[in-house]
Amino acid sequence: MNDAKFRALLDAEEKVESTDWMPEEYRQTLIRQIAQHAHSEIIGMQPEGNWISRAPSLRRKAILIAKVQDEAGHGLYLYSAAETLGVNRDQLMELLHSGKQKYSSIFNYPTLSWADMGAIGWLVDGAAITNQVMLKRCSYGPYARAMVKICLEESFHQRQGYEIMLTLCNGSAEQKAMAQDSLDRWWWPSLMMFGPHDSESTHTEQSMEWKIKRVSNDELRQQFVDMTVPQADYLGLQIPDPDLAWNEERGHYDFGPIDWDEFWAVVKGHGPMNRDRIEHKRKAWDDGAWVRQAAAVSSAVAVSA
Amino acid sequence: MTYSVPQVAGEAESKVTGTETNGVWPLWEVFIRQKRGLAHVHAGSLHAPDADSALLAARDVYTRRVEGVSIWVVASTDIVASDPDEAPAFFEAIEKPYRHATHYDIPDEVGQM
């Protein structure tokens, strides 16, 4: 009975809301995915936070602060969406700190130059947008609604990144080389953001059946490549893939094989920054203990006054 | 016709203070979800002795014409509101145009971004 009702909602392209009955596996899948998404926004503040104090101008610094602030906000919208499924935020934070829940592996790469602020906005946020535009059509209402707001804000993120790349590419030879180096380092990890091939992806089929995910990993990756190649051309930069070529027959770009050994190594914790990211997150949480304590005391005083 | 009826002898003083709350049922704010997938939006308020009654009253007052699929009622006293005079402290960004996507000049050639 319940299951038939749930099924009917999905079939009618209606949203499932938090008060509706839902299969336990659907709920668990969403908790896992939304928590990972939230954790990614929060950990994703670190690679860019690394450059705030070294931004090349006051304008770029203000922009970068605004972007990192947005990411904190995105994390909070997403934790709230996860909480509608009956988990609490501290629980999720603990799962992140203990490594029992993951975040996107892209944030386990270091940001070595200012150009990385450009490449991250352009490529990493570009890939995130490709994924998140799809998630606006997710069957779970609170998650889909969070995506609407996030996508709007991500557009600023991507455009400011591309503008940094454009500025560097119109600058000195050294600046253009810096942009190229950054593209060389971020291109493949950005393609990995879409996850394993459809044939290898254990979650895709069920998620698509539940309409949590609407487009497969490989299709999203192809969309991203098709969109990004002309943008790289305009910058006069070379995408680091000798196999990249327009395929007239398919109407898409062909691209070379992804190094899945690297992908799995980073997922399993062996990327260049995995340990630092979590250590930094834990330290920030521990260092903030006195703030949480003070807030609790202060509100207790306000209530009793 | 006019809604301004002349005052005649025996009519009560026209001053009404409205500060008397003894025995008045508490106020509830009503939010309606128009359809699945959309957020609950404020529809209005009403007085009711308790939450369950407020929900029933909301049905009578606000949803007589298939306005939606779900209702929330929230005690008005539980709502904490910002002061409109302090709007600048709560809504900045007018002086921060760089927070908007349109602030960045992206050449048409590179497509939608």
Side-chain angles (χ1 to χ4, degrees):
Chain A
M1 169 61 198
N2 272 336
D3 197 55
K5 212 169 148 189
F6 173 78
R7 198 66 259 169
L9 282 176
L10 295 186
D11 291 345
E13 287 293 322
E14 297 255 18
K15 300 293 184 202
V16 176
E17 296 293 350
S18 62
T19 46
D20 293 325
W21 181 89
M22 60 188 85
E24 183 57 17
E25 305 78 47
Y26 175 84
R27 196 176 75 90
Q28 288 302 333
T29 299
L30 279 167
I31 290 172
R32 177 178 178 276
Q33 181 174 337
I34 300 173
Q36 282 184 355
H37 200 157
H39 297 331
S40 301
E41 296 284 356
I42 297 300
I43 297 293
M45 293 171 16
Q46 291 184 40
E48 291 173 303
N50 180 38
W51 280 92
I52 288 175
S53 65
R54 292 175 288 165
S57 69
L58 184 57
R59 174 174 181 269
R60 292 292 182 198
K61 188 176 191 163
I63 291 168
L64 196 55
I65 290 172
K67 181 176 192 289
V68 172
Q69 191 185 4
D70 276 355
E71 276 145 15
H74 296 176
L76 298 181
Y77 311 157
L78 286 158
Y79 284 126
S80 297
E83 283 176 303
T84 65
L85 292 159
V87 288
N88 74 58
R89 199 170 298 201
D90 286 3
Q91 215 178 334
L92 298 180
M93 209 58 87
E94 178 44 41
L95 289 168
L96 170 65
H97 292 168
S98 62
K100 287 181 186 138
Q101 281 184 341
K102 304 277 188 207
Y103 52 89
S104 176
S105 281
I106 193 78
F107 303 116
N108 290 319
Y109 290 87
T111 43
L112 304 178
S113 80
W114 170 254
D116 289 0
M117 298 304 98
I120 287 179
W122 172 37
L123 301 174
V124 176
D125 290 301
I129 290 169
T130 307
N131 190 41
Q132 291 173 146
V133 164
M134 164 196 76
L135 287 171
K136 287 201 279 191
R137 295 191 292 124
C138 164
S139 61
Y140 188 57
Y143 192 24
R145 286 192 289 279
M147 284 306 115
V148 173
K149 197 163 161 55
I150 288 178
C151 284
L152 197 73
E153 295 176 353
E154 292 278 11
S155 173
F156 141 50
H157 296 182
Q158 197 192 13
R159 290 169 70 108
Q160 67 83 36
Y162 194 77
E163 194 194 71
I164 289 174
M165 296 304 270
L166 203 52
T167 306
L168 289 170
C169 290
N170 290 329
S172 66
E174 286 89 345
Q175 285 170 325
K176 188 160 184 185
M178 210 162 97
Q180 180 64 57
D181 165 67
S182 188
L183 171 59
D184 290 346
R185 285 181 292 107
W186 290 97
W187 175 253
W188 291 107
S190 296
L191 294 196
M192 293 176 199
M193 282 177 73
F194 295 96
H197 284 308
D198 297 346
S199 54
E200 308 285 319
S201 177
T202 45
H203 302 290
T204 293
E205 202 180 335
Q206 179 63 76
S207 280
M208 294 201 39
E209 205 267 323
W210 278 327
K211 301 188 176 180
I212 293 172
K213 199 172 162 58
R214 312 303 301 255
V215 183
S216 78
N217 294 355
D218 285 328
E219 282 176 80
L220 286 171
R221 188 163 20 236
Q222 183 72 61
Q223 270 180 30
F224 174 73
V225 170
D226 291 347
M227 183 178 77
T228 309
V229 173
Q231 294 166 354
D233 289 346
Y234 187 86
L235 294 171
L237 296 179
Q238 192 72 40
I239 288 177
D241 179 356
D243 297 326
L244 188 78
W246 177 251
N247 183 325
E248 190 69 54
E249 203 173 313
R250 289 204 308 128
H252 293 290
Y253 284 94
D254 289 337
F255 52 97
I258 291 169
D259 181 355
W260 294 111
D261 290 342
E262 175 182 327
F263 172 80
W264 287 113
V266 181
V267 169
K268 287 175 183 159
H270 308 301
M273 300 299 284
N274 296 57
R275 205 182 47 186
D276 290 45
R277 297 295 186 231
I278 288 298
E279 256 175 33
H280 183 85
K281 176 67 184 70
R282 277 212 206 102
K283 183 174 184 302
W285 178 255
D286 293 342
D287 289 352
W290 71 271
V291 180
R292 295 190 293 278
Q293 212 176 350
V297 171
S298 162
S299 76
V301 169
V303 166
S304 65
Chain B
M1 68 169 283
T2 172
Y3 287 107
S4 178
V5 181
Q7 191 161 8
V8 295
E11 185 180 329
E13 259 306 311
S14 60
K15 235 187 256 168
V16 180
T17 62
T19 53
E20 188 60 59
T21 55
N22 283 348
V24 173
W25 287 343
L27 190 64
W28 304 83
E29 301 299 327
V30 180
F31 297 80
I32 295 171
R33 163 173 281 152
Q34 195 197 336
K35 60 178 224 180
R36 277 172 185 282
L38 298 179
H40 288 77
V41 174
H42 189 237
S45 55
L46 51 78
H47 287 279
D50 56 62
D52 288 340
S53 313
L55 203 51
L56 291 179
R59 178 195 63 186
D60 293 339
V61 180
Y62 291 110
T63 58
R64 296 190 305 277
R65 292 180 183 79
V66 284
E67 282 81 353
V69 294
S70 158
I71 303 174
W72 284 351
V73 290
V74 179
S76 303
T77 49
D78 284 344
I79 289 181
V80 180
S82 67
D83 179 351
D85 289 341
E86 288 173 21
F90 289 95
F91 304 89
E92 56 179 346
I94 286 174
E95 79 283 21
K96 293 181 181 174
Y98 54 83
R99 286 182 192 265
H100 297 267
T102 48
H103 178 69
Y104 303 89
D105 288 328
I106 301 298
D108 293 341
E109 293 92 319
V110 304
Q112 178 71 31
M113 195 178 278

